[in-house]
Amino acid sequence: MKVILIRFLIGGVAVSLFSFLGDLFKPKSFAGLFGAAPSVALATLGLTVASDGRYYAAAEASSMMAGAVAFFIYARCVSWILMRGRFAALWVTISLLPVWGMVAFGLWYVRLK
Amino acid sequence: MQVKIDASALKQTRWYEFGARFLFGGLITAGAGMIAKEFGPAVGGLFLAFPAIFPAGATLIEKHEKQKKERAGLHGSARGRKAAAVDAAGASIGSIGLFVFALVIKRYLVSHGPWLVLTGATAIWLAVSLLVWQVRERM
């Protein structure tokens, strides 16, 4: 429980920090870079190295590459629909999350085979 | 296009919006750790690039842009959506940097000091993202 709480606090601080940086910059396309900052990864990998060792953390980073490809496709889809459609950002960003899941787990499955 | 620091956007952000980001960030970090413990590092690692905070961020950008236009007496819905779309395009560029970040960690974490690798990978994330963003802006 203590480890989960520490992860929660460090993750919250890391994400808030990168979000704060994103708020500071203009234009929006540049500020958007911080939407894909490695905030969760930094918080998680640092703690994972301490608790489970470098090999375990490196294995997580290996899978993270598939997650990043999925993030790219997800963000492109969100941008495309918001630019052309008439749907609210909350609806589009939430309803397209399965796209991230399908691509990430699809790549993970292909790699397993 | 030149990058500028604009602190006015911070004034638009309410305390509960900062709180929501902290909450989402904390939850996904704790969740990624629990998933890795349950299903192993291969599945847990996927969630290190989960767009956890992205929906909240894009929604806030849309809301703030809409409010700005409505204060000027204009209908802001379309402008708000467009601002969120541009933010998402920026995030897609950041995710290319995120891929390189993960690659650097995977390649060097075992053989080098962890803090050096994490710091270096973060600098490389920023450098790659900036480079791709600049190339994109000039196209």
Side-chain angles (χ1 to χ4, degrees):
Chain A
M1 193 62 198
K2 193 181 163 190
V3 175
I4 294 171
L5 189 66
I6 291 170
R7 279 185 189 274
F8 176 83
L9 292 173
I10 294 179
V13 169
V15 166
S16 299
L17 193 70
F18 278 105
S19 300
F20 178 80
L21 285 172
D23 281 349
L24 271 182
F25 292 108
K26 257 188 162 180
K28 288 274 185 294
S29 61
F30 179 81
L33 298 179
F34 292 88
S39 43
V40 173
L42 278 173
T44 302
L45 290 170
L47 291 166
T48 303
V49 167
S51 61
D52 299 292
R54 295 181 193 187
Y55 284 95
Y56 191 97
E60 284 194 330
S62 181
S63 278
M64 186 189 164
M65 289 160 63
V69 173
F71 196 143
F72 175 82
I73 293 168
Y74 164 79
R76 293 307 305 173
C77 290
V78 168
S79 180
W80 195 87
I81 291 176
L82 283 174
M83 201 61 96
R84 288 160 184 84
R86 297 180 63 84
F87 308 105
L90 182 65
W91 192 89
V92 174
T93 51
I94 298 282
S95 63
L96 285 180
L97 281 176
V99 170
W100 177 88
M102 281 189 285
V103 176
F105 281 95
L107 289 171
W108 171 75
Y109 182 75
V110 167
R111 227 181 121 211
L112 270 186
K113 289 185 104 182
Chain B
M1 195 179 283
Q2 213 177 357
V3 176
K4 289 177 189 164
I5 290 180
D6 175 28
S8 68
L10 289 174
K11 289 177 194 159
Q12 286 183 284
T13 309
R14 305 251 182 250
W15 67 268
Y16 58 83
E17 293 171 343
F18 285 116
R21 289 166 175 182
F22 182 88
L23 184 70
F24 281 125
L27 285 176
I28 191 63
T29 307
M34 290 194 293
I35 290 167
K37 279 273 172 259
E38 188 69 29
F39 300 103
V43 175
L46 295 173
F47 287 87
L48 301 189
F50 181 72
I53 196 69
F54 183 75
T59 305
L60 286 182
I61 285 165
E62 181 189 43
K63 185 182 142 194
H64 291 165
E65 193 68 24
K66 190 177 170 191
Q67 286 171 343
K68 209 159 87 181
K69 288 293 147 193
E70 284 174 353
R71 274 199 298 273
L74 302 164
H75 187 62
S77 294
R79 186 61 186 256
R81 273 198 304 275
K82 197 173 175 191
V86 171
D87 179 71
S92 73
I93 293 170
S95 66
I96 297 170
L98 201 61
F99 179 87
V100 181
F101 169 91
L103 183 67
V104 169
I105 303 265
K106 180 198 166 193
R107 176 75 182 78
Y108 295 105
L109 189 64
V110 174
S111 55
H112 293 74
W115 298 114
L116 176 72
V117 176
L118 288 173
T119 309
T122 307
I124 289 170
W125 162 77
L126 186 61
V128 169
S129 302
L130 268 171
L131 184 71
V132 178
W133 179 79
Q134 282 197 324
V135 169
R136 182 86 205 275
E137 286 296 304
R138 286 175 191 185
M139 276 164 63

